[in-house]
Amino acid sequence: MKINGTAYRTIWLAADGWGVEIIDQTRLPHDFVTVTLRSLADAATAIRDMWVRGAPLIGATAAYGVALAARDNASDAALDRAYQVLHATRPTAINLKWALDEMMAALKPLPVPQRAAAAYARAAAISDDDVAMNSALGEHGAKIIAQHHQGKRAPVNILTHCNAGWLATVDWGTALAPVYKAFDQGIPLHVWVDETRPRNQGASLTARELNWHGVPHTVIADNTGGHLMQHGMVDLCIVGTDRTTRNGDVCNKIGTYLKALAAKDNNVPFYVGLPSPTIDWTVADGIREIPIEERSAREQTHIFGKGPDGAVVEVQVTPDGSAGGNWGFDVTPARLVTGLITERGVCPASPEGLRALFPDRAIAV
């Protein structure tokens, strides 16, 4: 994607050839700041403190975290420690474990002196594959948007929740990849952007990147979507997912389930965009088996914003002494999902649908 005319991915090698550059997403939308990761500890901090976020980007960052660790010490013991440190940073997104498993499978069979170079090569390949998968799922999703535009002059109104765009991946995005592809093809569209409390990833990240790309959009309060659907102002919903079960349940940012319920009640199609590493073939029941991250209550009780003087400040929005509860994700049952948009095409949110697209990945149960 481009920022002020310059093309960026969300993660790339620094000029020295071994440091890893990222965009500090906690500084958006008001400040664009890049950070260089130079150690395993740096990579773990970036994931845990959400300098990077979004399941695919978390996976890519973890892969480069292993590479940084291997540059210092590529022994089996050091790699095992890197795995444990990075795996403990975020519990819900399955791409994290998937990327770590990919790195271990690539490195462990090699002699120790060859591992560091191989680690950087495998992390780069994981990043490139993510771009290719998201571009492909974007093409499949754009066809759905085009179908909704047939026979109408008005723009296609798409509602999304949280941020599942370029900033959540290495490039293109998951839920927003179809939006960017359709927009670039000249299909008139407009995006309703849920603010997505408590961290406001919609208002601060989705709106920021749609603004950079020139896509028409409107930021709305999280509870507005149902009203818009009741009044025919939403043609379809597209969201992302941090983990999808083999039965088609999707785990995404807290509040996604409520949007799916509203969409079902108003006959609004509800799609989920995901690259295949986001599928957890070992899990069948998302509600009971997916670990839901509980984050600091301070994310709910405090908020960042730009003051009249242009300075970004943190303010408290709750009374002193009031407790806060901050569950990061919820699970939308497969029965509420119209279809899963993947790099191999669109399928029903069902065991049969996923196995049809990924017969080489599905596991026997």
Side-chain angles (χ1 to χ4, degrees), residues 5-20:
T6 300
Y8 281 90
R9 287 186 174 186
T10 55
I11 189 167
W12 65 96
L13 282 183
D16 59 19
W18 67 270
V20 179

Side-chain angles (χ1 to χ4, degrees), residues 285-305:
D285 188 332
I287 296 173
R288 291 172 176 80
E289 297 181 65
I290 295 177
I292 300 299
E293 180 178 4
E294 293 185 48
R295 297 184 58 80
S296 168
R298 190 177 183 89
E299 293 181 349
Q300 182 186 19
T301 60
H302 291 67
I303 193 169
F304 285 93

